[in-house]
Amino acid sequence: MANEPSSSADPQAIRVDGRATAARVVEQVAEDGRRLTAETGVVPGLATVLVGDDPGSQVYVASKGKKATELGFHSAQHTLAADTDEAALLDLIAQLNADPAIHSILVQLPLPGDLDAKRVIEAIVPEKDVDGLHPINVGRLASGDRRAMVPCTPAGCMILLRDAWDGALSGLSAVVIGRSNLVGKPIAQLLLAENCTVTIAHSRTRDLPAVVRGADIVVAAVGRPEMVRGDWIKPGATVIDVGMNRIPAPERGEGKTRLVGDVAYAEAAAVAGAITPVPGGVGPMTIAMLMANTLTAACRHAGRGAPIFG
Ligand code: GUN
């Protein structure tokens, strides 16, 4: 259904269709959101905060707000100048924390200049920390506490993985390449919670190809274009490519670029059992899970259990 047979360019692997899976999640969020509003009057509310004028961040934040509006959520975007001082940003966070119409707060990262992302994230009340970056949420995830707000990209990757393995992840060997707070570390926790045997690899890992070759599941989240090669992949493994790297594409014309992942797709697709493309794999899941997390926060605010998405 969500996963389509491969094209002739990648003879073996299933091409994991993140757009179709994300559409399924969004549909469920929309339905559960309508029910929440009908039964309690609570309209889920997302606040996005963008500091500065980075064009990529502007596009991401606008698409998040647009999706929330499409779902009938309340959506508020706050755009601050790049030279905003920390006190002003913390003041805005305090207002959003206190605003009963806002259930989730997303501060787009990275922050420009000297702004301290850690202090800003810690100022968000954990219940509204939709990125799951507050130390309380990090601790809840690590200790298996169901109240954790789970970071959106890792949560989306887990849905793709459960689909690919029909839910049977227990006992599989997983290698996560990358140890960021936003992706690598939380996805390792989620895989561990599914009883995978988890290795977190990073820039200092010795003989990374050999480490990756042992894995049934490979999650690449390093931000290095096409670093993971086809001959690193165990035949039949599932490859989740979190990378989004823009590289020059002179074949498309002067000054043109194209988007590639952290995995050399064509090579890996010839060996893997299933693989996410870039674009169209993990990316759409992130925004879907942002909506899911916003609904989760709104349900909890209304004193209701959170739905399970997948
Ligand atoms: N910048 C890139 N990805 C993300 C994300 O998932 N959340 C936030 N807050 N900023 C980002």
Side-chain angles (χ1 to χ4, degrees):
M1 181 187 58
N3 299 336
E4 292 185 356
S6 55
S7 72
S8 57
D10 41 282
Q12 293 172 42
I14 299 280
R15 185 184 176 93
V16 175
D17 187 344
R19 290 194 182 105
T21 310
R24 184 183 87 206
V25 170
V26 166
E27 208 169 289
Q28 194 195 338
V29 173
E31 193 180 315
D32 291 345
R34 282 193 293 270
R35 188 175 321 120
L36 175 73
T37 303
E39 292 176 4
T40 68
V42 171
V43 177
L46 165 69
T48 54
V49 179
L50 174 63
V51 187
D53 45 21
D54 176 75
S57 293
Q58 282 173 337
V59 171
Y60 283 133
V61 168
S63 65
K64 289 164 182 172
K66 183 164 168 268
K67 183 61 76 182
T69 305
E70 276 169 28
L71 284 174
F73 289 5
H74 170 57
S75 167
Q77 182 180 327
H78 297 265
T79 306
L80 306 178
D83 63 357
T84 297
D85 68 16
E86 200 166 288
L89 181 52
L90 293 176
D91 190 52
L92 172 61
I93 301 289
Q95 284 174 40
L96 296 171
N97 281 342
D99 185 344
I102 295 298
H103 306 103
S104 75
I105 302 169
L106 180 138
V107 178
Q108 186 68 22
L109 301 174
L111 290 170
D114 293 334
L115 292 169
D116 183 342
K118 191 165 148 57
R119 260 206 298 270
V120 173
I121 287 160
E122 288 182 14
I124 301 172
V125 288
E127 293 70 26
K128 296 190 182 189
D129 164 39
V130 74
D131 274 317
L133 288 170
H134 190 288
I136 294 275
N137 284 316
V138 175
R140 283 176 175 162
L141 179 60
S143 62
D145 185 325
R146 290 158 52 95
R147 293 171 301 169
M149 192 65 89
V150 178
C152 303
T153 299
C157 291
M158 291 308 293
I159 291 179
L160 297 178
L161 281 169
R162 281 192 211 100
D163 277 4
W165 289 87
D166 279 334
L169 298 177
S170 183
L172 297 178
S173 160
V175 171
V176 179
I177 314 172
R179 53 178 156 180
S180 69
N181 290 334
L182 200 54
V183 182
K185 286 177 194 163
I187 200 158
Q189 293 290 355
L190 292 167
L191 289 162
L192 186 59
E194 294 276 357
N195 301 312
C196 290
T197 303
V198 183
T199 302
I200 306 179
H202 44 76
S203 56
R204 306 287 173 89
T205 297
R206 292 192 188 164
D207 200 355
L208 181 59
V211 172
V212 173
R213 268 182 213 118
D216 303 305
I217 292 169
V218 181
V219 180
V222 267
R224 291 185 56 188
E226 300 178 326
M227 184 187 83
V228 177
R229 311 308 307 189
D231 65 357
W232 298 17
I233 305 297
K234 176 175 167 177
T238 299
V239 180
I240 303 289
D241 191 349
V242 184
M244 291 257 265
N245 310 292
R246 202 157 270 293
I247 61 167
E251 71 280 6
R252 292 184 176 182
E254 203 186 314
K256 297 283 186 197
T257 60
R258 67 191 173 97
L259 208 54
V260 297
D262 292 345
V263 179
Y265 182 86
E267 287 177 18
V271 187
I275 181 167
T276 59
V278 176
V282 172
M285 292 303 291
T286 298
I287 198 159
M289 298 317 292
L290 175 64
M291 300 304 123
N293 276 359
T294 297
L295 178 60
T296 293
C299 287
R300 289 176 178 158
H301 171 84
R304 297 192 147 208
I308 292 173
F309 299 100

